[in-house]
Amino acid sequence: MLADPHHLLVLAEDVTSQDVEALAVSRSTDAGWSGPAELQLMPGVHLTGPWTLESDLLRSFDLPAWARQAYLLSCPVQRGAALPAELRGVDPLLDAFPSGVPTGVEAEALGHLRAIARRLRGALRVAGTGAVVVPDADAAIDLTVLAPVWLDHDAGLQVLRQTLPAVRSALDDIPEELAGQELEGYMLLSDLGDGDLLEIEAAGLDEVPTVLRGTDWAAGGVVGYEIRWRPAHPEQAFRGRPPLQVRRSRARAAELIERAAGALQALVGGEVVDDDGFLVDPGDLAG
């Protein structure tokens, strides 16, 4: 039964339980079905459902009109101090807990729910306050190419010069006396104008990402090529609803990130993952 003491993952009609399971196991090695209609996210934390949302429940819970099903989250309640005044309005999920911000297992579980909701264009309904949080699917634009092949600094620079504007090496900003030191990875920068940057960081990973477990090539080591947007005004860009001009800049950065990820993946192989750790089909990236 749906009840106020539980957080809810709210989804549209066309989302299947297999969709939810696939995303859950991408983020946690402990995720999987633990019983009929019971999906474990991690030890002691599970979702039950899906539960059908009738029209009267949509109204009483103030849910979006597209909502047709929900999963109920069972997890320990762990709260910290009240949300500081200077952080209000930055994160809609934290705003839903004004008297005590989730910590520990509860915070981690809500992180899983938000990631799943963002990918499936769903929502969360928070226990207690009843706040409904609809993650912005267009806000998480960073991508990472996970590959078996190491592309050296000069080769990476050459590939991305065909895709990104004004791309350069971060070594250009390092003092001359430090530039000769051996580095474990490297970073490239692309100037987007108005102070915005893209950072491309290449490094070997210490552990195989969860989403790649069971992949044969990953057992031999994984190289990560992270492509991240660094806006000139992060306090505006990463708040709940950025100004229109910032959203336009973000959309332009997102297209460039997709092109860069596609160019790298075409050369080094492997997989592309989004900022929540979910696989992205290279065929869906901007060309």
Coordinates of all heavy atoms in Angstrom, one line a residue, residues 9-60:
L9 N 9.2 6.2 -6.0 CA 9.7 6.4 -7.4 C 8.5 6.4 -8.3 O 7.8 5.4 -8.4 CB 10.7 5.3 -7.8 CG 11.2 5.3 -9.2 CD1 11.9 6.5 -9.6 CD2 12.0 4.0 -9.5
V10 N 8.2 7.5 -9.0 CA 7.0 7.7 -9.8 C 7.4 7.6 -11.3 O 8.3 8.3 -11.7 CB 6.3 9.0 -9.5 CG1 5.1 9.2 -10.3 CG2 6.0 9.1 -8.0
L11 N 6.7 6.8 -12.1 CA 7.0 6.6 -13.4 C 5.8 6.6 -14.4 O 4.7 6.5 -13.9 CB 7.7 5.2 -13.6 CG 9.0 5.0 -12.8 CD1 9.4 3.6 -12.8 CD2 10.1 5.9 -13.3
A12 N 6.1 6.8 -15.6 CA 5.0 6.8 -16.6 C 4.6 5.4 -17.0 O 5.3 4.4 -16.5 CB 5.5 7.5 -17.9
E13 N 3.6 5.2 -17.8 CA 3.0 3.9 -18.0 C 3.9 3.0 -18.9 O 3.9 1.8 -18.7 CB 1.6 4.1 -18.8 CG 0.9 2.8 -19.0 CD -0.5 3.1 -19.6 OE1 -0.7 4.2 -20.2 OE2 -1.4 2.2 -19.6
D14 N 4.7 3.6 -19.7 CA 5.5 2.8 -20.7 C 6.8 2.2 -20.1 O 7.5 1.5 -20.7 CB 5.8 3.6 -21.9 CG 6.6 4.8 -21.6 OD1 6.7 5.2 -20.5 OD2 7.2 5.4 -22.6
V15 N 7.1 2.5 -18.8 CA 8.3 2.0 -18.2 C 8.0 0.6 -17.6 O 7.0 0.4 -16.9 CB 8.8 3.0 -17.1 CG1 10.0 2.4 -16.3 CG2 9.1 4.3 -17.6
T16 N 8.9 -0.3 -17.9 CA 8.7 -1.7 -17.4 C 9.6 -1.9 -16.1 O 10.5 -1.2 -15.9 CB 9.1 -2.7 -18.4 OG1 10.5 -2.7 -18.7 CG2 8.4 -2.4 -19.7
S17 N 9.2 -3.0 -15.4 CA 10.0 -3.3 -14.2 C 11.4 -3.8 -14.7 O 12.4 -3.6 -13.9 CB 9.3 -4.5 -13.5 OG 9.1 -5.6 -14.3
Q18 N 11.5 -4.3 -15.9 CA 12.9 -4.7 -16.4 C 13.7 -3.4 -16.6 O 15.0 -3.5 -16.4 CB 12.7 -5.4 -17.7 CG 12.2 -6.9 -17.5 CD 10.7 -6.9 -17.3 OE1 10.0 -5.9 -17.6 NE2 10.2 -8.0 -16.8
D19 N 13.1 -2.3 -17.0 CA 13.8 -1.0 -17.2 C 14.4 -0.6 -15.8 O 15.6 -0.2 -15.7 CB 12.9 0.1 -17.7 CG 12.4 -0.2 -19.1 OD1 13.1 -0.9 -19.9 OD2 11.3 0.3 -19.4
V20 N 13.6 -0.7 -14.8 CA 14.0 -0.3 -13.5 C 15.2 -1.2 -13.0 O 16.2 -0.7 -12.4 CB 12.9 -0.3 -12.5 CG1 13.3 0.1 -11.1 CG2 11.8 0.7 -13.0
E21 N 15.0 -2.5 -13.2 CA 16.0 -3.4 -12.7 C 17.3 -3.2 -13.4 O 18.4 -3.2 -12.8 CB 15.5 -4.9 -13.0 CG 16.6 -5.9 -12.6 CD 16.3 -7.3 -13.3 OE1 15.5 -7.3 -14.3 OE2 16.9 -8.3 -12.9
A22 N 17.3 -3.0 -14.8 CA 18.5 -2.8 -15.5 C 19.3 -1.6 -15.0 O 20.5 -1.6 -14.9 CB 18.2 -2.6 -17.0
L23 N 18.6 -0.5 -14.6 CA 19.3 0.6 -14.1 C 19.8 0.4 -12.7 O 20.9 0.8 -12.3 CB 18.4 1.8 -14.1 CG 17.9 2.3 -15.5 CD1 17.0 3.5 -15.4 CD2 19.1 2.6 -16.4
A24 N 19.1 -0.3 -11.9 CA 19.5 -0.6 -10.5 C 20.8 -1.4 -10.5 O 21.7 -1.1 -9.8 CB 18.4 -1.3 -9.8
V25 N 20.9 -2.5 -11.3 CA 22.1 -3.3 -11.3 C 23.3 -2.6 -12.0 O 24.4 -3.0 -11.8 CB 21.8 -4.7 -12.0 CG1 20.7 -5.4 -11.3 CG2 21.5 -4.5 -13.5
S26 N 23.0 -1.5 -12.7 CA 24.1 -0.7 -13.3 C 24.8 0.1 -12.2 O 26.0 0.5 -12.4 CB 23.6 0.2 -14.4 OG 23.1 -0.5 -15.5
R27 N 24.2 0.3 -11.1 CA 24.8 1.1 -10.1 C 25.2 0.4 -8.8 O 25.9 0.9 -8.0 CB 23.8 2.2 -9.6 CG 23.6 3.3 -10.7 CD 22.5 4.3 -10.3 NE 22.8 4.9 -9.0 CZ 23.4 6.1 -8.9 NH1 23.8 6.8 -10.0 NH2 23.6 6.7 -7.7
S28 N 24.7 -0.9 -8.6 CA 25.0 -1.6 -7.4 C 25.2 -3.1 -7.7 O 24.4 -3.7 -8.4 CB 23.9 -1.4 -6.4 OG 24.1 -2.2 -5.3
T29 N 26.3 -3.7 -7.2 CA 26.5 -5.1 -7.3 C 25.5 -5.9 -6.5 O 25.4 -7.1 -6.7 CB 27.9 -5.5 -6.9 OG1 28.2 -5.0 -5.6 CG2 28.9 -4.8 -7.9
D30 N 24.9 -5.3 -5.5 CA 23.9 -5.9 -4.7 C 22.5 -5.9 -5.2 O 21.6 -6.4 -4.5 CB 24.0 -5.3 -3.2 CG 25.3 -5.5 -2.6 OD1 25.8 -6.7 -2.6 OD2 25.9 -4.5 -2.1
A31 N 22.3 -5.2 -6.3 CA 20.9 -5.0 -6.8 C 20.4 -6.2 -7.5 O 21.2 -7.0 -8.1 CB 20.9 -3.8 -7.7
G32 N 19.1 -6.5 -7.4 CA 18.5 -7.6 -8.1 C 17.2 -7.9 -7.4 O 16.9 -7.5 -6.3
W33 N 16.4 -8.7 -8.0 CA 15.1 -9.1 -7.5 C 15.3 -10.0 -6.3 O 16.1 -11.0 -6.3 CB 14.2 -9.9 -8.5 CG 13.8 -9.0 -9.6 CD1 14.3 -9.0 -10.9 CD2 12.9 -7.9 -9.6 NE1 13.7 -8.1 -11.7 CE2 12.8 -7.3 -10.9 CE3 12.1 -7.4 -8.6 CZ2 12.0 -6.3 -11.2 CZ3 11.3 -6.3 -8.9 CH2 11.2 -5.8 -10.2
S34 N 14.7 -9.7 -5.1 CA 14.8 -10.5 -3.9 C 13.5 -11.2 -3.5 O 13.4 -11.9 -2.5 CB 15.3 -9.6 -2.7 OG 14.4 -8.5 -2.6
G35 N 12.5 -11.0 -4.3 CA 11.2 -11.6 -4.1 C 10.2 -11.1 -5.1 O 10.5 -10.2 -5.9
P36 N 9.0 -11.6 -5.1 CA 8.0 -11.1 -6.0 C 7.7 -9.6 -5.9 O 7.4 -9.1 -4.8 CB 6.7 -11.9 -5.6 CG 7.2 -13.1 -4.9 CD 8.5 -12.7 -4.2
A37 N 7.9 -8.9 -6.9 CA 7.7 -7.4 -6.9 C 8.6 -6.7 -5.9 O 8.2 -5.6 -5.4 CB 6.3 -7.1 -6.7
E38 N 9.7 -7.3 -5.6 CA 10.6 -6.6 -4.6 C 12.1 -6.6 -5.2 O 12.7 -7.6 -5.4 CB 10.6 -7.4 -3.3 CG 11.5 -6.7 -2.2 CD 11.4 -7.4 -0.9 OE1 10.3 -7.2 -0.2 OE2 12.3 -8.1 -0.5
L39 N 12.5 -5.4 -5.5 CA 13.8 -5.2 -6.1 C 14.8 -4.6 -5.1 O 14.6 -3.5 -4.6 CB 13.7 -4.2 -7.3 CG 15.0 -3.9 -8.0 CD1 15.6 -5.1 -8.7 CD2 14.7 -2.8 -9.1
Q40 N 15.8 -5.3 -4.7 CA 16.8 -4.8 -3.8 C 17.7 -3.8 -4.5 O 18.2 -4.1 -5.6 CB 17.6 -5.9 -3.2 CG 18.8 -5.5 -2.3 CD 19.5 -6.6 -1.5 OE1 18.9 -7.1 -0.6 NE2 20.7 -6.9 -2.0
L41 N 18.0 -2.7 -3.9 CA 18.9 -1.7 -4.5 C 20.3 -1.9 -3.8 O 21.3 -1.8 -4.5 CB 18.4 -0.3 -4.2 CG 17.1 0.1 -4.9 CD1 16.8 1.6 -4.6 CD2 17.2 -0.1 -6.4
M42 N 20.3 -2.2 -2.5 CA 21.5 -2.5 -1.8 C 21.1 -3.1 -0.5 O 19.9 -3.2 -0.2 CB 22.3 -1.2 -1.5 CG 21.6 -0.1 -1.0 SD 22.6 1.4 -1.0 CE 21.5 2.6 -0.1
P43 N 22.0 -3.7 0.3 CA 21.5 -4.4 1.5 C 20.6 -3.5 2.4 O 21.0 -2.4 2.7 CB 22.8 -4.8 2.2 CG 23.8 -4.9 1.1 CD 23.4 -3.8 0.1
G44 N 19.5 -4.0 2.8 CA 18.6 -3.3 3.6 C 17.7 -2.3 3.0 O 17.0 -1.5 3.6
V45 N 17.9 -2.1 1.6 CA 17.1 -1.1 0.9 C 16.5 -1.8 -0.3 O 17.2 -2.4 -1.1 CB 18.0 0.0 0.4 CG1 17.3 1.0 -0.4 CG2 18.7 0.7 1.6
H46 N 15.2 -1.7 -0.5 CA 14.5 -2.3 -1.6 C 13.3 -1.5 -2.1 O 12.7 -0.7 -1.3 CB 14.1 -3.7 -1.3 CG 13.2 -3.9 -0.2 ND1 13.6 -4.1 1.1 CD2 11.8 -3.9 -0.2 CE1 12.5 -4.2 1.9 NE2 11.4 -4.1 1.2
L47 N 12.9 -1.7 -3.3 CA 11.7 -1.1 -3.9 C 10.7 -2.2 -4.0 O 11.0 -3.4 -4.4 CB 12.0 -0.6 -5.3 CG 12.9 0.7 -5.4 CD1 13.3 0.9 -6.9 CD2 12.2 1.9 -4.8
T48 N 9.4 -1.9 -3.8 CA 8.3 -2.8 -4.0 C 7.4 -2.1 -5.0 O 7.1 -0.9 -5.0 CB 7.6 -3.2 -2.8 OG1 7.1 -2.0 -2.1 CG2 8.4 -3.9 -1.8
G49 N 6.9 -3.0 -5.9 CA 6.0 -2.4 -7.0 C 6.2 -3.1 -8.3 O 6.8 -4.2 -8.3
P50 N 5.6 -2.6 -9.3 CA 4.9 -1.3 -9.4 C 3.5 -1.3 -8.9 O 2.8 -2.3 -9.0 CB 5.0 -1.0 -10.9 CG 4.9 -2.3 -11.5 CD 5.7 -3.2 -10.7
W51 N 3.1 -0.2 -8.3 CA 1.8 0.1 -7.8 C 1.1 1.0 -8.8 O 1.7 2.0 -9.3 CB 1.7 0.7 -6.4 CG 2.4 -0.1 -5.4 CD1 3.8 0.0 -5.0 CD2 1.9 -1.1 -4.5 NE1 4.0 -0.9 -4.0 CE2 2.9 -1.6 -3.7 CE3 0.6 -1.5 -4.3 CZ2 2.7 -2.5 -2.7 CZ3 0.3 -2.5 -3.4 CH2 1.4 -3.0 -2.6
T52 N -0.2 0.7 -9.1 CA -0.9 1.5 -10.1 C -1.4 2.8 -9.4 O -1.8 2.7 -8.2 CB -2.1 0.7 -10.6 OG1 -1.7 -0.4 -11.3 CG2 -2.9 1.6 -11.6
L53 N -1.3 3.9 -10.1 CA -1.7 5.2 -9.5 C -3.0 5.6 -10.2 O -3.0 5.9 -11.4 CB -0.6 6.2 -9.8 CG 0.7 6.0 -9.1 CD1 1.8 7.0 -9.7 CD2 0.6 6.2 -7.6
E54 N -4.1 5.6 -9.4 CA -5.4 6.0 -9.9 C -5.5 7.5 -9.9 O -4.7 8.2 -9.2 CB -6.5 5.4 -9.1 CG -6.4 3.8 -9.0 CD -6.7 3.2 -10.4 OE1 -7.1 3.9 -11.3 OE2 -6.4 2.0 -10.5
S55 N -6.4 8.1 -10.6 CA -6.6 9.5 -10.7 C -6.7 10.2 -9.4 O -6.2 11.3 -9.2 CB -7.7 9.9 -11.7 OG -8.9 9.3 -11.2
D56 N -7.5 9.6 -8.4 CA -7.7 10.3 -7.2 C -6.4 10.3 -6.4 O -6.1 11.3 -5.6 CB -8.7 9.5 -6.3 CG -8.4 8.1 -6.1 OD1 -7.6 7.5 -6.9 OD2 -9.0 7.5 -5.1
L57 N -5.5 9.3 -6.6 CA -4.2 9.3 -5.9 C -3.3 10.3 -6.5 O -2.5 11.0 -5.8 CB -3.6 7.9 -6.0 CG -2.5 7.6 -4.9 CD1 -3.1 7.7 -3.5 CD2 -2.0 6.1 -5.1
L58 N -3.4 10.5 -7.8 CA -2.6 11.6 -8.5 C -2.9 12.9 -7.9 O -2.0 13.7 -7.6 CB -2.8 11.6 -10.0 CG -2.4 10.4 -10.8 CD1 -2.7 10.7 -12.3 CD2 -0.9 10.1 -10.6
R59 N -4.1 13.2 -7.7 CA -4.6 14.5 -7.1 C -4.1 14.6 -5.7 O -3.6 15.7 -5.3 CB -6.1 14.6 -7.3 CG -6.6 14.8 -8.7 CD -8.0 15.2 -8.7 NE -8.9 14.2 -8.2 CZ -9.4 13.2 -8.9 NH1 -9.2 13.2 -10.2 NH2 -10.2 12.3 -8.3
S60 N -4.4 13.6 -4.9 CA -4.0 13.7 -3.4 C -2.5 13.8 -3.2 O -2.1 14.4 -2.2 CB -4.7 12.6 -2.7 OG -4.1 11.3 -3.1

